[in-house]
Amino acid sequence: MKLLEDALIKLSTVATDIVGVSGRAMVEALIVGQRDPKVLAELARGRMRGKRAALVQALTGRFDDHHAELARVLLDQIDALGVQIDRLTSRIEELIGAIPAAQPPSEKASHTGEDTYQPALPAVSRLDEVPGIGVKAAQVIIAEVGLDIGQFPTAAHLVSWARLSPRTIQSGAKQRTGATGKGNPYLKGVLGEAAAAAAKTDTFLGERYRRLVKRRGKLKALVAVARSILVIVWHLLADPTARYHDLGSDFYTSRIDTDRKTRTHIRQLQALGFTVTLTPAA
C-alpha cells in the first residue's frame, strides 16, 4: 500500500499480505492512534511473531491523522469489494452446480489409473486435485474451455487452441521457434498461475519444471508446465469418471536405464583417455 510507504511504514517488506490477519490488525491500530512500533509489532500472529524485531523497524515512521483517514477509506473499499467477490463466488458456484455435465456421473466410483477406484467427483473438484489448480482456477478453466470437450478431438487440439504449442518458423532451409501466440488471455493467465504454483511442489509437474528450467529458462519451463496441466485438464473433462493420479517427483529417475547410463559414462571417460574398471558398491 503506497499510503503506508508515504508514511515511511515499510510493513510490506516484512509481511507478505499487509491486509492479512496480522497486517490488518496493525493498520487498524495505526488508524485508531497507536504509534508505538513495539506495541504494533506485538499484534503479530502465527509465524509473524518470529519477525517482531523486523516489524519494529518497519513500523517506525511518521503515520499521522491524515494517513489514518485515507487508510480507513481504503480498508472500507477493500471490505466492500470482498463482499462483492464473495457474492459473485457464491453465484458462480450455483451456476456451475446447475450444469448437469459438471456433476459427477451416476457411477459410484471412478478409475484412478491404478487398480483402485475412488468416488466420482464434480468437474471442479476433479480439476482441484491437479497441483497448482485451485477451486477458483478450476472455475475459470471451465468457464473458458467449457464442459463439451468434444469440440477438441484430442488434447493437442485444445493446447493448440489455447496457443500453448510452440510454433516453428521456416525460411528456406532455416528453422527457428516462434512465440506461442496470444490465445485466450484468461485461460493462459490462470494456467500460468497454476504452472507457477505447481513448480513449487514435490510432484511430477514440479519436477518437470525443475528439469526444464535448467536448460530452457524460467519462462519456457512455465509454458511447458502450463501445457502439461492443460493436457491433464483435457483428459479429466473428456472422461467424467477420470481422477488425477500424480506420477510422482521420481518419475524420471525411476525410469532411467542404468545399464545404458553406465555405458554412456564409460564411453565418455574412455574418450578422455581413462581406463574404467567398475566395482559394485557394497
Side-chain angles (χ1 to χ4, degrees):
M1 188 183 295
K2 292 184 178 181
L3 177 65
L4 296 180
E5 295 182 0
D6 180 72
L8 300 182
I9 301 296
K10 304 296 182 179
L11 183 59
S12 60
T13 62
V14 182
T16 304
D17 184 8
I18 61 175
V19 291
V21 176
S22 299
R24 181 66 182 257
M26 296 173 192
V27 175
E28 290 284 0
L30 284 168
I31 291 175
V32 298
Q34 181 57 254
R35 300 290 186 268
D36 189 340
K38 293 183 179 179
V39 175
L40 294 171
E42 288 298 326
L43 297 175
R45 296 292 180 269
R47 291 179 297 178
M48 284 286 290
R49 293 195 63 81
K51 304 178 181 180
R52 281 174 291 180
L55 284 170
V56 171
Q57 295 182 353
L59 292 168
T60 302
R62 56 178 188 183
F63 197 92
D64 56 24
D65 293 340
H66 173 69
H67 295 111
E69 183 178 358
L70 294 179
R72 180 75 275 161
V73 172
L74 293 175
L75 289 181
D76 290 343
Q77 290 180 349
I78 291 174
D79 293 339
L81 291 174
V83 172
Q84 295 181 19
I85 290 172
D86 292 340
R87 185 183 300 117
L88 290 174
T89 300
S90 299
R91 181 56 178 162
I92 290 171
E93 292 175 352
E94 292 176 3
L95 292 175
I96 293 180
I99 302 175
Q103 303 311 309
S106 57
E107 291 84 355
K108 296 182 180 180
S110 60
H111 192 47
T112 62
E114 298 180 337
D115 294 333
T116 59
Y117 286 81
Q118 296 179 355
L121 296 176
V124 172
S125 298
R126 284 185 284 116
L127 294 183
D128 185 28
E129 292 183 330
V130 181
I133 297 181
V135 173
K136 292 183 180 179
Q139 293 172 345
V140 174
I141 292 172
I142 291 175
E144 301 304 325
V145 175
L147 293 167
D148 182 13
I149 209 66
Q151 58 187 329
F152 304 108
T154 65
H157 286 81
L158 176 58
V159 170
S160 178
W161 174 78
R163 295 295 188 271
L164 285 175
S165 297
R167 294 186 301 157
T168 299
I169 301 174
Q170 182 172 353
S171 178
K174 296 182 178 180
Q175 291 185 354
R176 61 184 178 87
T177 58
T180 56
K182 293 184 178 180
N184 185 315
Y186 305 107
L187 179 60
K188 292 188 73 173
V190 73
L191 288 175
E193 294 177 0
K200 302 175 182 178
T201 61
D202 186 25
T203 61
F204 167 77
L205 292 173
E207 183 62 21
R208 175 167 170 75
Y209 170 81
R210 288 185 286 273
R211 287 171 65 91
L212 289 172
V213 74
K214 296 176 183 178
R215 53 190 174 87
R216 303 296 291 176
K218 182 177 180 179
L219 293 180
K220 289 185 178 181
L222 286 175
V223 172
V225 174
R227 180 189 182 282
S228 297
I229 291 176
L230 191 56
V231 171
I232 295 171
V233 167
W234 183 90
H235 285 284
L236 292 176
L237 295 181
D239 182 4
T241 64
R243 293 282 295 275
Y244 175 74
H245 169 67
D246 187 58
L247 297 177
S249 58
D250 62 343
F251 176 80
Y252 294 104
T253 57
S254 63
R255 282 158 178 76
I256 293 177
D257 187 340
T258 55
D259 292 337
R260 182 178 179 182
K261 191 86 171 177
T262 301
R263 291 193 300 269
T264 299
H265 287 310
I266 290 175
R267 285 197 301 268
Q268 291 174 346
L269 289 171
Q270 288 174 342
L272 294 174
F274 293 95
T275 300
V276 180
T277 302
L278 298 181
T279 302

